[in-house]
Amino acid sequence: MTSRLLSNRSILSFALATVVAASATNAAWAQTAKAVSPVIKINQAAATDPIETTALRGSLSMLSGSGGNITVLAGKQGKLLVDAGIAVSRPRVEAALDALGKTPIKYVINTHYHWDHTDGNTWVSEGGAKILATQGTVRRVSEVTHVAYWDFTFQPLPKRAIPTEVLKADKTLHFEGQTVEVRLLDPSHTDTDLYVFFKEANVASLGDLFWNGVYPFIDNEHGGGIDGMIKADDAILARLDDNVIIVPGHGPVGSKKQLKDFRDMLAGIRDKVVAMKKAGKSLDEVIAAKPTAEYDAIYGHFVIAPDFFTRIVYEGVK
């Protein structure tokens, strides 16, 4: 791993690494998760960790350090955010936003329902920002949701933090000189996903459809699955050119090549796990076979440990 990747890793990357690195088996993960939910560790870190700002193109920037990465389009009219991070990061996120201009937040687009991308809705909504999301995101943040992988039960967001514009189809906004294309997807990372493309800047914000340089979490419990992730990334790759700048859900700013490499890693591991599962291998046997081995040097250093990612794939394929 490069020092740049390590310096840009998100709160989620750091905190999950401390929890899942020991999860060599399904039982080990369960025992660890019951001791301390990664959500608690992530929130504790988000309460104090600094926010790093990375310039993209034009008036677009990426903020990292509050759970998922936040894309910011800033200008005279105001600001548009893709994702809102974790609420306890508010003072540092506000300071980073103010450094980009003292204009108010006008729009927030949630890429999916996970709390490290939506929890900040609670405070950004105070200024009257319009929040956009898929129907699935609106449903999930409006109800009690338990994520067994994280051993944590999320309470509904306050009413004001629930997205006010429910997207049932692709939508285009025009804001601060950018054509902002909001593109919906079939179930992939979750059953609530979308991504955002800034046409003139040629910048794409993919949420957790892309984790740059690390194994991803895939929410099998809530409509996600590795097949859906691969299908979604194929569809995105077909629409992006080689000069695009990509904001991942976690990790540093990426390129189309890095997204393609990520997609190929998903497919390579999926194919190995499917073959062993069809041959009757148990989860423990598949983990012991190390189907991620050829990719671990790049993707296996933190966030989701190789054995735990194998479990996610095994449980997510038919």
Side-chain angles (χ1 to χ4, degrees):
M1 285 296 165
T2 66
S3 59
R4 175 174 171 78
L5 177 54
L6 292 172
S7 66
N8 279 278
R9 66 185 181 182
S10 67
I11 297 294
L12 182 62
S13 303
F14 172 78
L16 278 177
T18 66
V19 176
V20 304
S23 59
T25 67
N26 187 26
W29 162 255
Q31 185 177 3
T32 303
K34 288 177 182 177
V36 181
S37 168
V39 173
I40 294 172
K41 284 181 168 288
I42 292 162
N43 285 338
Q44 288 171 343
T48 58
D49 274 32
I51 301 299
E52 180 178 343
T53 301
T54 303
L56 301 174
R57 285 191 180 123
S59 53
L60 282 158
S61 302
M62 182 184 86
L63 307 184
S64 56
S66 178
N69 291 326
I70 301 170
T71 305
V72 184
L73 172 60
K76 294 180 179 179
Q77 299 177 56
K79 299 184 182 76
L80 180 152
L81 309 185
V82 181
D83 288 328
I86 298 174
V88 293
S89 298
R90 177 178 182 172
R92 287 161 302 286
V93 172
E94 282 189 306
L97 290 172
D98 285 347
L100 297 173
K102 298 289 187 178
T103 54
I105 301 168
K106 296 289 189 178
Y107 296 97
V108 177
I109 303 170
N110 293 146
T111 59
H112 62 292
Y113 88 94
H114 284 154
W115 103 103
D116 57 312
H117 297 259
T118 60
D119 193 47
N121 287 4
T122 302
W123 71 266
V124 299
S125 63
E126 292 176 0
K130 179 181 285 189
I131 305 176
L132 298 79
T134 64
Q135 202 167 20
T137 291
V138 174
R139 180 181 74 255
R140 295 207 183 280
V141 301
S142 301
E143 62 190 14
V144 175
T145 303
H146 182 74
V147 180
Y149 280 129
W150 300 337
D151 191 34
F152 197 87
T153 299
F154 296 91
Q155 298 303 311
L157 289 178
K159 184 176 180 180
R160 71 175 186 276
I162 295 171
T164 52
E165 184 163 346
V166 182
L167 302 176
K168 299 179 182 180
D170 293 353
K171 183 179 180 66
T172 299
L173 304 173
H174 297 279
F175 187 74
E176 291 296 344
Q178 288 292 324
T179 303
V180 184
E181 299 178 356
V182 185
R183 300 172 177 174
L184 277 59
L185 294 157
D186 292 335
S188 40
H189 170 63
T190 68
D191 59 4
T192 70
D193 299 289
L194 59 78
Y195 73 102
V196 180
F197 182 65
F198 299 89
K199 186 174 181 180
E200 287 76 14
N202 198 16
V203 171
S205 295
L206 302 193
D208 281 0
L209 299 168
F210 176 36
W211 295 45
N212 194 9
V214 292
Y215 290 130
F217 177 71
I218 302 173
D219 195 343
N220 294 327
E221 292 177 86
H222 299 98
I226 191 164
D227 288 331
M229 282 276 283
I230 295 166
K231 181 180 177 181
D233 286 344
D234 281 340
I236 294 167
L237 284 163
R239 300 187 70 171
L240 302 180
D241 69 27
D242 291 342
N243 295 317
V244 69
I245 291 174
I246 301 177
V247 178
H250 303 279
V253 173
S255 65
K256 183 176 181 179
K257 182 183 183 303
Q258 287 171 315
L259 175 60
K260 176 65 163 55
D261 290 344
F262 175 81
R263 178 264 174 218
D264 289 347
M265 173 273 294
L266 296 179
I269 295 171
R270 185 271 315 269
D271 291 349
K272 291 178 181 179
V273 171
V274 166
M276 287 187 279
K277 191 171 184 179
K278 285 184 176 178
K281 301 291 186 182
S282 69
L283 172 60
D284 287 345
E285 288 173 324
V286 173
I287 288 173
K290 303 294 183 185
T292 67
E294 69 178 285
Y295 304 101
D296 289 348
I298 296 173
Y299 298 96
H301 290 274
F302 49 83
V303 192
I304 302 297
D307 291 349
F308 183 51
F309 185 61
T310 300
R311 175 194 171 189
I312 290 172
V313 176
Y314 185 93
E315 295 179 350
V317 296
K318 306 301 182 183

